[in-house]
Amino acid sequence: MTPHGPAPAISIHGLCKRFGDQTVLDGLDLDVRAGSVFALLGPNGAGKTTTVQVLATLLAADAGEVKVAGHDIAREPDAVRAAIGVTGQYSAVDGLLSGRENLELMAALHHLDRRTARKRVAELLERFDLVDAAGKRARDYSGGMRRRLDLAMSLVGRPRIVFLDEPTTGLDPRSRRGMWAVIRELVDDGVTIFLTTQYLEEADQLADRIAVLDDGRLVAEGTAEELKRLVPGGHIEVRFADIDGLDAASRNVPSAARDTDALTLAVPSDGSVGALRALLAELDERNISIADLAIHTPDLDDVFFALTGAERAKSDTTQMEASAR
């Protein structure tokens, strides 16, 4: 227990990792609450996969203090491995074995006795909707089925923490949503999920907290809504029934952008309930009636581009084009 509550499932302080002269992780600090989904976002090369490999004891850190499931990754790697499951970017499924045989192999690696192994394999085949395909070679599975089998294999040992490194890459939308449902079920069972992804909708749908990594550094962390509020451009769009209402509102809300043709005002706002309540109270106090309103807030796409090298690259391209002209 920490002074403020239960110990985090994952605790990272000052994590650094270098490959030769290249610094891939530069002083990373993160805490992941047990029983939650934590998403790590970032462009290619930001250090997401390296972070997972270090946390899973597949790579040694160069500096920093890291604990997974309460165990130090440098001093207690075996204890860490006993507590985690890992599903990497690339499937670990053996295509020559059947789905059942892949799971039985993992059960043997976990030293489960025969009876326990049979029961666990049957449970996972049922949970991941693979019973009918259990006897087929995995190479004949669809992409979604292989991914489900891959995740099932990482759960044979009943891990408390599961690392999912871009688990839905290459899946069609239906298969991706199927994986999301499985992830939600795992969290309902108390499993902690550490997820890396480039699908911003995935992080928005699943994650309790999101960290944005860029060039090996943490550039932002919070809930999806907190991150969206970091980016300017949010507003409340208010539509009026007639020009008189629009004129009256324009006089009283001078910061708003006016669209006379549409009879609307775009009032800068963070989209919070408090901001909406204050605006409506102000209009009501002046007896200004509205016909309709809509709240527009930045999405995670805006956050991604604003906080990572993607935005700098776009800015550099714009400057180059301007210079060429």
Side-chain angles (χ1 to χ4, degrees):
M1 297 281 287
T2 69
H4 304 291
I10 301 170
S11 177
I12 305 171
H13 299 288
L15 174 59
C16 295
K17 180 63 184 177
R18 303 177 186 85
F19 294 105
D21 295 333
Q22 182 182 9
T23 299
V24 180
L25 295 174
D26 191 4
L28 187 61
D29 294 314
L30 288 174
D31 284 321
V32 178
R33 180 173 56 86
S36 68
V37 179
F38 190 96
L40 192 60
L41 296 181
N44 288 332
K48 302 187 301 298
T49 295
T50 299
T51 300
V52 169
Q53 291 176 334
V54 170
L55 296 178
T57 73
L58 300 174
L59 283 176
D62 292 320
E65 181 180 353
V66 181
K67 289 186 177 181
V68 176
H71 303 288
D72 186 282
I73 61 170
R75 295 193 296 268
E76 306 169 279
D78 289 342
V80 171
R81 292 168 193 150
I84 66 172
V86 182
T87 298
Q89 286 187 36
Y90 305 103
S91 175
V93 171
D94 188 327
L96 296 178
L97 299 180
S98 69
R100 186 185 304 279
E101 288 167 342
N102 270 283
L103 290 169
E104 289 172 345
L105 175 61
M106 290 302 298
L109 292 173
H110 280 279
H111 305 293
L112 300 185
D113 63 70
R114 185 173 299 178
R115 181 177 179 181
T116 303
R118 279 200 305 267
K119 182 179 179 181
R120 185 61 177 152
V121 168
E123 289 173 351
L124 291 169
L125 289 171
E126 178 71 30
R127 181 170 196 172
F128 286 87
D129 194 22
L130 293 170
V131 173
D132 291 342
K136 296 179 181 178
R137 287 188 178 183
R139 68 182 182 186
D140 298 324
Y141 283 13
S142 67
M145 291 171 64
R146 287 176 65 91
R147 212 59 177 134
R148 294 203 306 273
L149 177 59
D150 201 14
L151 179 53
M153 290 168 62
S154 72
L155 299 178
V156 168
R158 300 185 186 275
R160 293 150 52 194
I161 300 169
V162 176
F163 295 101
L164 302 178
D165 192 12
E166 301 190 17
T168 62
T169 297
L171 297 187
D172 61 77
R174 185 183 299 276
S175 297
R176 184 173 301 128
R177 290 182 181 276
M179 283 292 291
W180 294 355
V182 170
I183 290 169
R184 292 187 182 104
E185 289 174 4
L186 291 173
V187 176
D188 288 342
D189 289 344
V191 176
T192 303
I193 303 292
F194 189 99
L195 169 76
T196 75
T197 182
Q198 293 189 58
Y199 292 114
L200 303 181
E201 183 190 6
E202 187 160 87
D204 210 352
Q205 287 282 334
L206 295 175
D208 299 291
R209 291 188 69 79
I210 300 168
V212 183
L213 197 64
D214 188 39
D215 199 22
R217 297 184 180 89
L218 186 69
V219 294
E221 183 188 351
T223 66
E225 293 307 313
E226 288 170 346
L227 293 180
K228 291 171 187 177
R229 292 191 189 115
L230 295 176
V231 180
H235 65 274
I236 301 170
E237 184 179 89
V238 185
R239 184 169 61 83
F240 300 88
D242 53 43
I243 192 67
D244 292 337
L246 177 63
D247 288 341
S250 296
R251 289 191 296 270
N252 287 282
V253 191
S255 61
R258 172 175 173 145
D259 185 335
T260 302
D261 292 337
L263 296 176
T264 62
L265 286 183
V267 183
S269 169
D270 63 4
S272 65
V273 173
L276 177 60
R277 185 182 293 120
L279 175 62
L280 293 177
E282 183 176 357
L283 295 175
D284 186 60
E285 184 179 340
R286 290 165 174 76
N287 294 316
I288 302 172
S289 299
I290 66 173
D292 197 7
L293 67 82
I295 299 173
H296 298 268
T297 58
D299 58 22
L300 283 183
D301 285 0
D302 299 313
V303 173
F304 187 86
F305 283 110
L307 298 180
T308 70
E311 177 64 23
R312 293 196 294 274
K314 186 171 73 172
S315 175
D316 291 345
T317 299
T318 301
Q319 292 176 8
M320 290 173 62
E321 290 173 348
S323 299
R325 289 195 295 268

